[in-house]
Amino acid sequence: MTPNQVSAGELLQLIRSGRASTRADLQRVTGLSRSTIGHRLDVLNRAGWLRHTTGTSTGGRPSHRIVFDPSHASVIAVDLETRHARIAVLDLAGTILAEHAGPLDITAGPDQVLEQLAGWLPELIAAAGVEAVHVAGIGLSVPGPVDWETGQVIEPPIMPGWDRYPVRERMQKAYADHVGPSMEDGPVPVFVDNDANLMALAEHQANHAGCSAFVLVKVSTGIGAGVVIGNDVYRGVDGGAGDIGHIRLHDRPDALCMCGAYGCLAAVASGRALAKELSALGMDTTSGYDVKRLLTEGHPDAIRLAREAGRRVGEVLVTVVTLLNPGVLMLAGDLSGVPFMTGVRELLYQRAMPRTTANLQIVTSRLGDHAGLIGATAMVVELLYSPARADARLNHLMLADHASCPPQTGTS
């Protein structure tokens, strides 16, 4: 870092990452003078973004530690599934303050879905005990490919009517209509990403932060994967990375997928595919959620089909694991129980090179149904408090302060 160019936002990044927790740490890492550090911390303090604590004394003066204050604002996180949704208010550390889950049909289209979500918000925000003006942003987790730059869902097979729809703008309007203004100047910031990406981000940060290559595979009504390399989600050039549900299987040209193609993995091994097979056997199943219910009840046909689905997914994961050489492969979603994991393990250890799997952990989700919510919150926080955006927000806050406190003039 060039000392004179280290901004308040960059100091905040050092504090949030744990690289610095005292003024001395900040001086050592940045090379800034004590007075400059003090001035930039004052800016962060006036914004209410920091908390100061006194450490335990070891005989000398007690240390004064500086930490990011996760309670100064809140985030609304939404986890959309095909037939239901979870929505929650969380603090900036990902602690859930209030949560609501309810039925919601994603095929009803974005207008109806986003309006229904916004309608849940006033009661939810009140239950969380936070002020609406302290909501810093909204994060949406959706079961389809997302163009990261525009926040638009692109050609989603199981989300009819959502292709290239302006999700951000519509959610901002629905929020303003039902809740009112946010703490930001202008519409509340809204960010959108694929559900597997956000689940991978949450699980990696919470339980596998030391893993340099992490893969999460979500198998519910559809199939998708999230990849974290280093500490960053890998999305590809336009958000299409991880869409493994549409890799073709050579021996199932008869299986028609929701995308319109034949032979896709999702048409053979997803929750929707298993629900179709179980329905043909006389059971009332239409989605991965229904299959999960039968697996929980120990239904033998559901267990058999889940294990076979695991083997089919394992066929594709042999290539994924060989290409990425991850340290952790996590299975998540409605089907990710013992039968499915057993099938995945069988194929991986049978077909992958021993060296590829020698240091591979195959695990299941630890955050469970909350992974999407926590990941959506992490996405919002990382973006809103990145150095560049943090500096822009701080500058705006300082200008607003100056405007509300005009200089005093003398009288003649």
Side-chain angles (χ1 to χ4, degrees), residues 118-133:
W120 292 341
L121 287 176
E123 187 174 342
L124 185 69
I125 291 171
V130 302
E131 296 183 34
V133 293

Side-chain angles (χ1 to χ4, degrees), residues 132-137 175 179-189:
V133 293
H134 289 161
V135 173
Y175 180 89
V179 179
S182 74
M183 68 184 296
E184 300 289 314
D185 181 39
V188 61

Side-chain angles (χ1 to χ4, degrees), residues 111 114-115 118 138 165-180 187-188 190:
D111 278 322
L114 297 177
E115 184 67 20
I138 300 175
Y165 182 87
V167 175
R168 285 177 179 167
E169 293 78 6
R170 182 65 181 84
M171 190 69 213
Q172 287 171 333
K173 182 180 184 305
Y175 180 89
D177 290 344
H178 287 270
V179 179
V188 61
V190 175

Side-chain angles (χ1 to χ4, degrees), residues 248-270:
R248 307 289 176 84
L249 301 176
H250 67 88
D251 61 341
R252 289 300 308 272
D254 60 313
L256 176 62
C257 183
M258 290 286 290
C259 73
Y262 287 87
C264 292
L265 178 64
V268 175
S270 67

